[in-house]
Structure formats: C-alpha cells, structure tokens
Amino acid sequence: MNINKSLSVNMNQTKEIFAKVPEITFYFWITKLLTTGMGEVASDYLFENLNPFISVPLSLLIFITAMILQFKVRRYIPKIYWLVVVMVSIFGTMAADIVRVGLGIPYIVSTIFFMVALAVVLITWYSKEKTLSVHSIFTRRREIFYWLTVSVTFALGTAAGDMTATSMHLGYFSSGLLFTVLLAIPALGYRFFGLNETFAFWFAYIMTRPVGASFSDWLGAAHSSGGLGLGKGWVSLVLTIFIILLVIFKGGSPAKSMEVEDNVE
C-alpha cells in the first residue's frame, strides 16, 4: 500500500514538472482573447504594409523559433508559451488569408476545411492518447497534438470570423457579438449544467479566436469597412502592451495534472 502511494505521488510530481501549459484561469482567457485580437490586426498590418514575400517567411521563421524554444524547455515558462500563442495567432491569420486571397477559396470552404482538419487532429489525438485534457500535456507527443490543435483552431476561427463579417455581411462588430454569445455556451454549460470540462475548454478555445479577431478588426478597420478607424498598427501595439503586462504580472502556474492513471512517456 505504501509503495503504491509513493509511486502515485512520484508520478504526480513528475507530471507537474513536465506540465507545459498554464493553469486555466480568468487571466488565461483574457490573455488568450488579447492574443487573438493582436494576431489578427498585426497580421493584416504586416500583410498590407510589408511585402508578403517578406512578412510571411519572417513570421514563419519567428513562429518556428518560438516553437523550438517551447519544445526545448522542460516546464511552462509564461513568456515562451505566450510568444508561441502570439505567433500562432499571426501565422494562423496569414494562413487563412492566403487560402482566401492567394488561392481565391471562399471563406465558407476554408471554414469547412479547417473544421474537418480540426476534427482529424482531435480524433487522432484521442485515438493515440485516450484523452484531450490540457491537464495531460506532459509528454512530447501530447504537446505536439496540443499545438497542432491550437494552430488549427486559430486558422478556423479566423476563417469563420471573416466569413460572418464579410461573406454573410454581418460586419465586424455584429460578428464579435455573435461569437461572444457562442463563447458563453461552454462557459455556462460547464458552470451550471455539467458540460464535460475538456469539451467545454476546446469549444471556448475555438470561439475566443473569432471574438478577439472580430472586435480588433472593428477597432482597427477604416470607417468605410465598418470599423472605428483607429488603425491596425495602433491597435496591434496597444494589445501587445496589454499582453506583455499580463504575462509579466499574471503569467500563472503550470496546469496541474488530474490524470494519475496515464503513463509518462
């Protein structure tokens, strides 16, 4: 009995050491929303003011560098983790825009494509690991699945937000309100109706992208495009400052593992 208890404690301690994602708190969701908005307007600003043949490879290079740093560290480090999230946001937006602008594929088609891609990633992840919980990100393979999922959710959210704002002619502000209502569903479902925690998390995670992107587009876009005309450069700068402040002062601790039966690989 004592030996089993000791093994269980050691396993929990090992998992906490290898926890590579932050604890899911109120500040996590606020920072996540700000990164989605910042990535959207920053990507558009770079795309419009810098040659795409420069901005896209440069963003990809920074994204890859940040991802390498994230995989090299042995625990959750706020500044590295959120740098990756920001770069996923920027590069995910560029990827969705390239599909629409560069290839001429309608937003409805790209939205469906990214939905299918997300389903494939999640199904494959679950079939291999038997869990999709963020409390279980303590192995290299699970971390790969986690970041694949995050990357696809950003691209999906971008395509979906642009689809409602432009193709469906709702405009940026109305799209932001629509996705805010959808974002409230998993929060209320989990809080009051016992919605599965993992399902609620990923549902909310997907919705934060179009919420942040729609409202940031509304702030930065010109009046002729239905925005407030504050400028995408200025909106990007202000959101970046807020993100840095939150990461410095509210970076949070690693997510605590809740799955003691899983094997550490």
Side-chain angles (χ1 to χ4, degrees):
M1 176 71 82
N2 291 334
I3 293 176
N4 291 334
K5 183 177 180 181
S6 177
L7 288 174
S8 177
V9 171
N10 289 337
M11 184 178 289
N12 277 334
Q13 291 174 342
T14 301
K15 289 183 177 182
E16 289 183 11
I17 290 173
F18 283 90
K20 300 291 292 291
V21 299
E23 186 178 2
I24 310 305
T25 64
F26 172 77
Y27 293 105
F28 169 87
W29 291 114
I30 294 298
T31 309
K32 172 62 168 61
L33 280 168
L34 291 177
T35 61
T36 63
M38 180 270 181
E40 174 72 17
V41 289
S43 175
D44 290 344
Y45 180 80
L46 292 173
F47 206 82
E48 294 169 2
N49 294 274
L50 191 63
N51 189 311
F53 290 102
I54 297 177
S55 61
V56 174
L58 179 61
S59 299
L60 177 60
L61 177 61
I62 300 175
F63 166 69
I64 293 175
T65 302
M67 193 65 76
I68 291 173
L69 290 174
Q70 171 64 20
F71 277 96
K72 286 186 67 175
V73 298
R74 304 286 289 175
R75 60 186 176 83
Y76 166 65
I77 298 178
K79 61 183 179 181
I80 294 179
Y81 175 89
W82 287 109
L83 174 61
V84 176
V85 174
V86 167
M87 293 314 303
V88 169
S89 180
I90 294 175
F91 192 72
T93 301
M94 288 185 174
D97 288 341
I98 288 172
V99 169
R100 172 65 181 92
V101 179
L103 302 179
I105 298 176
Y107 284 126
I108 180 64
V109 175
S110 60
T111 299
I112 294 174
F113 170 79
F114 288 123
M115 286 178 65
V116 173
L118 178 60
V120 170
V121 172
L122 291 175
I123 291 172
T124 304
W125 181 359
Y126 188 80
S127 67
K128 296 291 186 181
E129 302 294 332
K130 307 306 179 187
T131 179
L132 300 175
S133 173
V134 295
H135 299 292
S136 69
I137 311 301
F138 49 78
T139 70
R140 178 59 55 85
R141 187 165 68 179
R142 290 183 181 185
E143 190 176 12
I144 291 173
F145 278 123
Y146 174 82
W147 286 112
L148 277 175
T149 304
V150 169
S151 298
V152 178
T153 61
F154 271 89
L156 171 59
T158 299
D162 288 338
M163 178 185 68
T164 57
T166 58
S167 300
M168 297 176 65
H169 308 291
L170 292 181
Y172 297 122
F173 186 75
S174 296
S175 289
L177 293 179
L178 169 64
F179 287 108
T180 299
V181 172
L182 294 176
L183 176 59
I185 292 176
L188 295 176
Y190 173 71
R191 178 67 175 83
F192 297 106
F193 302 103
L195 185 65
N196 178 268
E197 180 185 6
T198 300
F199 179 81
F201 171 82
W202 286 115
F203 189 167
Y205 199 95
I206 293 169
M207 289 301 109
T208 57
R209 175 58 179 175
V211 169
S214 296
F215 283 123
S216 62
D217 274 335
W218 175 63
L219 291 172
H223 294 290
S224 58
S225 299
L228 293 183
L230 299 180
K232 295 180 180 180
W234 284 111
V235 174
S236 300
L237 177 61
V238 172
L239 291 179
T240 299
I241 292 172
F242 277 115
I243 292 169
I244 292 173
L245 292 176
L246 279 172
V247 170
I248 291 175
F249 295 105
K250 299 292 182 178
S253 57
K256 292 180 174 59
S257 173
M258 296 172 61
E259 301 181 11
V260 298
E261 73 278 11
D262 289 324
N263 294 321
V264 178
E265 297 178 355

